[in-house]
Amino acid sequence: MRLTTTLLAACAALALGMPIACSKSKQETPALAPAPTGKGALQGPVQEVLAAPPYTYLRVKTAGGDVWAAVPAADIKVGAMVTVNVQLRMEKFESPSLHRTFDTLFMGTLPGAEGAPAAGA
């Protein structure tokens, strides 16, 4: 009975657009710095690069820890300092071309590439 009550309360909260606290603790992702797009930006050195045209996946070291970002295909090298103008945050994103699931993936563009389509768009 308690489970049913909890599920009904959660469904009602979701229907009303209210956030729900989960009992599982999740790894904190870094706060996004304001970006020209108004959505936020990730900034730091690139730790790993995975090319999967039409996207490039970057593991970026931020003050809050390493995070993954996807941008339109770009020639980025490990160690390069990047700023990713974030447009979308995805949880449990599955990349069919890489045969990999990212727990959290920030999709966006690199400065100067704002006219390019955002990854995942």
Side-chain angles (χ1 to χ4, degrees):
M1 183 68 178
R2 178 172 163 76
L3 179 61
T4 303
T5 305
T6 302
L7 288 174
L8 287 174
C11 289
L14 285 174
L16 295 172
M18 298 170 54
I20 299 174
C22 295
S23 59
K24 282 186 179 179
S25 65
K26 291 179 70 177
Q27 179 181 359
E28 292 292 320
T29 53
L32 299 177
T37 62
K39 301 215 179 181
L42 295 170
Q43 189 171 31
V46 174
Q47 303 297 299
E48 186 176 351
V49 177
L50 300 174
Y55 306 112
T56 299
Y57 294 83
L58 307 171
R59 183 168 54 92
V60 180
K61 183 175 185 171
T62 69
D66 286 6
V67 297
W68 281 97
V71 298
D75 185 23
I76 304 290
K77 305 287 185 222
V78 171
M81 287 295 293
V82 296
T83 299
V84 177
N85 295 325
V86 175
Q87 288 154 15
L88 183 64
R89 175 183 170 161
M90 299 188 70
E91 303 294 330
K92 303 294 181 200
F93 176 80
E94 294 182 33
S95 168
S97 58
L98 294 175
H99 306 289
R100 179 176 178 165
T101 299
F102 295 90
D103 289 335
T104 300
L105 180 71
F106 294 92
M107 296 191 163
T109 59
L110 299 170
E114 281 80 12

